[in-house]
PDB file of all heavy atoms in Angstrom:
ATOM      1  N   LEU A  39      11.586   8.705  -7.695  1.00  0.00           N
ATOM      2  CA  LEU A  39      11.620   7.263  -7.532  1.00  0.00           C
ATOM      3  C   LEU A  39      11.635   6.484  -8.832  1.00  0.00           C
ATOM      4  O   LEU A  39      11.897   5.290  -8.847  1.00  0.00           O
ATOM      5  CB  LEU A  39      10.414   6.784  -6.703  1.00  0.00           C
ATOM      6  CG  LEU A  39      10.317   7.332  -5.277  1.00  0.00           C
ATOM      7  CD1 LEU A  39       9.100   6.790  -4.566  1.00  0.00           C
ATOM      8  CD2 LEU A  39      11.595   7.007  -4.492  1.00  0.00           C
ATOM      9  N   GLY A  40      11.344   7.160  -9.947  1.00  0.00           N
ATOM     10  CA  GLY A  40      11.388   6.501 -11.277  1.00  0.00           C
ATOM     11  C   GLY A  40      10.208   5.583 -11.524  1.00  0.00           C
ATOM     12  O   GLY A  40      10.228   4.657 -12.367  1.00  0.00           O
ATOM     13  N   VAL A  41       9.079   5.834 -10.848  1.00  0.00           N
ATOM     14  CA  VAL A  41       7.868   5.049 -11.039  1.00  0.00           C
ATOM     15  C   VAL A  41       7.152   5.494 -12.309  1.00  0.00           C
ATOM     16  O   VAL A  41       7.211   6.652 -12.667  1.00  0.00           O
ATOM     17  CB  VAL A  41       6.941   5.230  -9.788  1.00  0.00           C
ATOM     18  CG1 VAL A  41       5.593   4.546 -10.015  1.00  0.00           C
ATOM     19  CG2 VAL A  41       7.624   4.721  -8.558  1.00  0.00           C
ATOM     20  N   LYS A  42       6.516   4.542 -13.010  1.00  0.00           N
ATOM     21  CA  LYS A  42       5.842   4.831 -14.265  1.00  0.00           C
ATOM     22  C   LYS A  42       4.400   5.330 -14.040  1.00  0.00           C
ATOM     23  O   LYS A  42       3.621   4.661 -13.340  1.00  0.00           O
ATOM     24  CB  LYS A  42       5.780   3.565 -15.127  1.00  0.00           C
ATOM     25  CG  LYS A  42       5.113   3.777 -16.450  1.00  0.00           C
ATOM     26  CD  LYS A  42       5.056   2.458 -17.253  1.00  0.00           C
ATOM     27  CE  LYS A  42       4.240   2.687 -18.505  1.00  0.00           C
ATOM     28  NZ  LYS A  42       3.983   1.403 -19.192  1.00  0.00           N
ATOM     29  N   LEU A  43       4.066   6.478 -14.639  1.00  0.00           N
ATOM     30  CA  LEU A  43       2.698   6.962 -14.596  1.00  0.00           C
ATOM     31  C   LEU A  43       1.854   6.191 -15.591  1.00  0.00           C
ATOM     32  O   LEU A  43       2.186   6.171 -16.778  1.00  0.00           O
ATOM     33  CB  LEU A  43       2.693   8.488 -14.921  1.00  0.00           C
ATOM     34  CG  LEU A  43       1.341   9.174 -14.960  1.00  0.00           C
ATOM     35  CD1 LEU A  43       0.649   9.136 -13.624  1.00  0.00           C
ATOM     36  CD2 LEU A  43       1.521  10.611 -15.449  1.00  0.00           C
ATOM     37  N   VAL A  44       0.753   5.612 -15.116  1.00  0.00           N
ATOM     38  CA  VAL A  44      -0.103   4.824 -15.993  1.00  0.00           C
ATOM     39  C   VAL A  44      -1.322   5.695 -16.440  1.00  0.00           C
ATOM     40  O   VAL A  44      -1.672   5.636 -17.622  1.00  0.00           O
ATOM     41  CB  VAL A  44      -0.654   3.586 -15.245  1.00  0.00           C
ATOM     42  CG1 VAL A  44      -1.682   2.832 -16.063  1.00  0.00           C
ATOM     43  CG2 VAL A  44       0.518   2.661 -14.871  1.00  0.00           C
ATOM     44  N   GLU A  45      -1.899   6.416 -15.530  1.00  0.00           N
ATOM     45  CA  GLU A  45      -3.076   7.243 -15.864  1.00  0.00           C
ATOM     46  C   GLU A  45      -3.097   8.464 -14.945  1.00  0.00           C
ATOM     47  O   GLU A  45      -2.901   8.378 -13.743  1.00  0.00           O
ATOM     48  CB  GLU A  45      -4.329   6.391 -15.637  1.00  0.00           C
ATOM     49  CG  GLU A  45      -5.593   7.096 -16.061  1.00  0.00           C
ATOM     50  CD  GLU A  45      -6.814   6.201 -15.932  1.00  0.00           C
ATOM     51  OE1 GLU A  45      -6.669   4.957 -15.782  1.00  0.00           O
ATOM     52  OE2 GLU A  45      -7.934   6.759 -15.971  1.00  0.00           O
ATOM     53  N   ASP A  46      -3.339   9.600 -15.589  1.00  0.00           N
ATOM     54  CA  ASP A  46      -3.430  10.897 -14.888  1.00  0.00           C
ATOM     55  C   ASP A  46      -4.850  11.384 -15.023  1.00  0.00           C
ATOM     56  O   ASP A  46      -5.349  11.643 -16.103  1.00  0.00           O
ATOM     57  CB  ASP A  46      -2.455  11.910 -15.491  1.00  0.00           C
ATOM     58  CG  ASP A  46      -2.429  13.201 -14.706  1.00  0.00           C
ATOM     59  OD1 ASP A  46      -3.281  13.411 -13.842  1.00  0.00           O
ATOM     60  OD2 ASP A  46      -1.547  14.014 -15.002  1.00  0.00           O
ATOM     61  N   ARG A  47      -5.550  11.474 -13.902  1.00  0.00           N
ATOM     62  CA  ARG A  47      -6.947  11.936 -13.864  1.00  0.00           C
ATOM     63  C   ARG A  47      -7.034  13.355 -13.299  1.00  0.00           C
ATOM     64  O   ARG A  47      -7.933  13.711 -12.581  1.00  0.00           O
ATOM     65  CB  ARG A  47      -7.803  11.015 -13.060  1.00  0.00           C
ATOM     66  CG  ARG A  47      -7.859   9.598 -13.647  1.00  0.00           C
ATOM     67  CD  ARG A  47      -8.709   8.669 -12.841  1.00  0.00           C
ATOM     68  NE  ARG A  47      -8.622   7.341 -13.363  1.00  0.00           N
ATOM     69  CZ  ARG A  47      -9.146   6.286 -12.732  1.00  0.00           C
ATOM     70  NH1 ARG A  47      -9.790   6.437 -11.581  1.00  0.00           N
ATOM     71  NH2 ARG A  47      -9.031   5.072 -13.250  1.00  0.00           N
ATOM     72  N   GLY A  48      -5.989  14.142 -13.612  1.00  0.00           N
ATOM     73  CA  GLY A  48      -5.972  15.540 -13.171  1.00  0.00           C
ATOM     74  C   GLY A  48      -5.789  15.690 -11.683  1.00  0.00           C
ATOM     75  O   GLY A  48      -5.015  14.951 -11.064  1.00  0.00           O
ATOM     76  N   ASP A  49      -6.508  16.622 -11.084  1.00  0.00           N
ATOM     77  CA  ASP A  49      -6.395  16.904  -9.641  1.00  0.00           C
ATOM     78  C   ASP A  49      -7.003  15.816  -8.780  1.00  0.00           C
ATOM     79  O   ASP A  49      -6.788  15.805  -7.555  1.00  0.00           O
ATOM     80  CB  ASP A  49      -7.035  18.233  -9.307  1.00  0.00           C
ATOM     81  CG  ASP A  49      -6.242  19.432  -9.882  1.00  0.00           C
ATOM     82  OD1 ASP A  49      -5.049  19.249 -10.148  1.00  0.00           O
ATOM     83  OD2 ASP A  49      -6.849  20.487 -10.075  1.00  0.00           O
ATOM     84  N   ALA A  50      -7.811  14.907  -9.336  1.00  0.00           N
ATOM     85  CA  ALA A  50      -8.512  13.920  -8.566  1.00  0.00           C
ATOM     86  C   ALA A  50      -7.658  12.741  -8.149  1.00  0.00           C
ATOM     87  O   ALA A  50      -7.682  12.324  -6.967  1.00  0.00           O
ATOM     88  CB  ALA A  50      -9.761  13.414  -9.296  1.00  0.00           C
ATOM     89  N   CYS A  51      -6.882  12.191  -9.094  1.00  0.00           N
ATOM     90  CA  CYS A  51      -6.095  11.016  -8.810  1.00  0.00           C
ATOM     91  C   CYS A  51      -5.149  10.667  -9.924  1.00  0.00           C
ATOM     92  O   CYS A  51      -5.283  11.190 -11.048  1.00  0.00           O
ATOM     93  CB  CYS A  51      -7.036   9.871  -8.459  1.00  0.00           C
ATOM     94  SG  CYS A  51      -7.080   8.451  -9.498  1.00  0.00           S
ATOM     95  N   ALA A  52      -4.175   9.830  -9.635  1.00  0.00           N
ATOM     96  CA  ALA A  52      -3.223   9.347 -10.635  1.00  0.00           C
ATOM     97  C   ALA A  52      -2.924   7.888 -10.290  1.00  0.00           C
ATOM     98  O   ALA A  52      -2.862   7.539  -9.093  1.00  0.00           O
ATOM     99  CB  ALA A  52      -1.940  10.195 -10.634  1.00  0.00           C
ATOM    100  N   ILE A  53      -2.701   7.082 -11.299  1.00  0.00           N
ATOM    101  CA  ILE A  53      -2.390   5.689 -11.117  1.00  0.00           C
ATOM    102  C   ILE A  53      -0.926   5.478 -11.548  1.00  0.00           C
ATOM    103  O   ILE A  53      -0.540   5.876 -12.622  1.00  0.00           O
ATOM    104  CB  ILE A  53      -3.305   4.761 -11.953  1.00  0.00           C
ATOM    105  CG1 ILE A  53      -4.780   5.092 -11.717  1.00  0.00           C
ATOM    106  CG2 ILE A  53      -3.029   3.316 -11.661  1.00  0.00           C
ATOM    107  CD1 ILE A  53      -5.276   4.904 -10.304  1.00  0.00           C
ATOM    108  N   LEU A  54      -0.177   4.821 -10.698  1.00  0.00           N
ATOM    109  CA  LEU A  54       1.262   4.573 -10.949  1.00  0.00           C
ATOM    110  C   LEU A  54       1.534   3.069 -10.934  1.00  0.00           C
ATOM    111  O   LEU A  54       1.001   2.334 -10.117  1.00  0.00           O
ATOM    112  CB  LEU A  54       2.116   5.245  -9.891  1.00  0.00           C
ATOM    113  CG  LEU A  54       1.891   6.744  -9.678  1.00  0.00           C
ATOM    114  CD1 LEU A  54       2.612   7.243  -8.455  1.00  0.00           C
ATOM    115  CD2 LEU A  54       2.316   7.525 -10.917  1.00  0.00           C
ATOM    116  N   ASP A  55       2.432   2.627 -11.815  1.00  0.00           N
ATOM    117  CA  ASP A  55       2.897   1.253 -11.866  1.00  0.00           C
ATOM    118  C   ASP A  55       4.185   1.170 -11.072  1.00  0.00           C
ATOM    119  O   ASP A  55       5.206   1.725 -11.490  1.00  0.00           O
ATOM    120  CB  ASP A  55       3.111   0.835 -13.314  1.00  0.00           C
ATOM    121  CG  ASP A  55       3.566  -0.598 -13.497  1.00  0.00           C
ATOM    122  OD1 ASP A  55       3.965  -1.207 -12.475  1.00  0.00           O
ATOM    123  OD2 ASP A  55       3.535  -1.081 -14.611  1.00  0.00           O
ATOM    124  N   VAL A  56       4.153   0.445  -9.941  1.00  0.00           N
ATOM    125  CA  VAL A  56       5.346   0.369  -9.112  1.00  0.00           C
ATOM    126  C   VAL A  56       6.103  -0.938  -9.334  1.00  0.00           C
ATOM    127  O   VAL A  56       7.034  -1.264  -8.598  1.00  0.00           O
ATOM    128  CB  VAL A  56       5.002   0.592  -7.583  1.00  0.00           C
ATOM    129  CG1 VAL A  56       4.561   1.988  -7.366  1.00  0.00           C
ATOM    130  CG2 VAL A  56       3.979  -0.407  -7.101  1.00  0.00           C
ATOM    131  N   GLY A  57       5.680  -1.700 -10.318  1.00  0.00           N
ATOM    132  CA  GLY A  57       6.383  -2.940 -10.673  1.00  0.00           C
ATOM    133  C   GLY A  57       5.763  -4.191 -10.148  1.00  0.00           C
ATOM    134  O   GLY A  57       4.992  -4.171  -9.181  1.00  0.00           O
ATOM    135  N   GLN A  58       6.095  -5.282 -10.757  1.00  0.00           N
ATOM    136  CA  GLN A  58       5.657  -6.622 -10.341  1.00  0.00           C
ATOM    137  C   GLN A  58       4.140  -6.733 -10.163  1.00  0.00           C
ATOM    138  O   GLN A  58       3.672  -7.346  -9.245  1.00  0.00           O
ATOM    139  CB  GLN A  58       6.416  -7.085  -9.121  1.00  0.00           C
ATOM    140  CG  GLN A  58       7.891  -7.163  -9.333  1.00  0.00           C
ATOM    141  CD  GLN A  58       8.669  -7.727  -8.163  1.00  0.00           C
ATOM    142  OE1 GLN A  58       8.108  -7.931  -7.070  1.00  0.00           O
ATOM    143  NE2 GLN A  58       9.908  -8.049  -8.363  1.00  0.00           N
ATOM    144  N   GLY A  59       3.396  -5.987 -11.033  1.00  0.00           N
ATOM    145  CA  GLY A  59       1.946  -6.057 -10.966  1.00  0.00           C
ATOM    146  C   GLY A  59       1.297  -5.205  -9.923  1.00  0.00           C
ATOM    147  O   GLY A  59       0.101  -5.301  -9.696  1.00  0.00           O
TER     148      GLY A  59
END
Side-chain angles (χ1 to χ4, degrees):
L39 298 181
V41 173
K42 179 183 174 188
L43 177 63
V44 174
E45 186 175 345
D46 186 349
R47 298 181 185 171
D49 292 336
C51 114
I53 309 298
L54 306 170
D55 180 346
V56 294
Q58 299 184 351

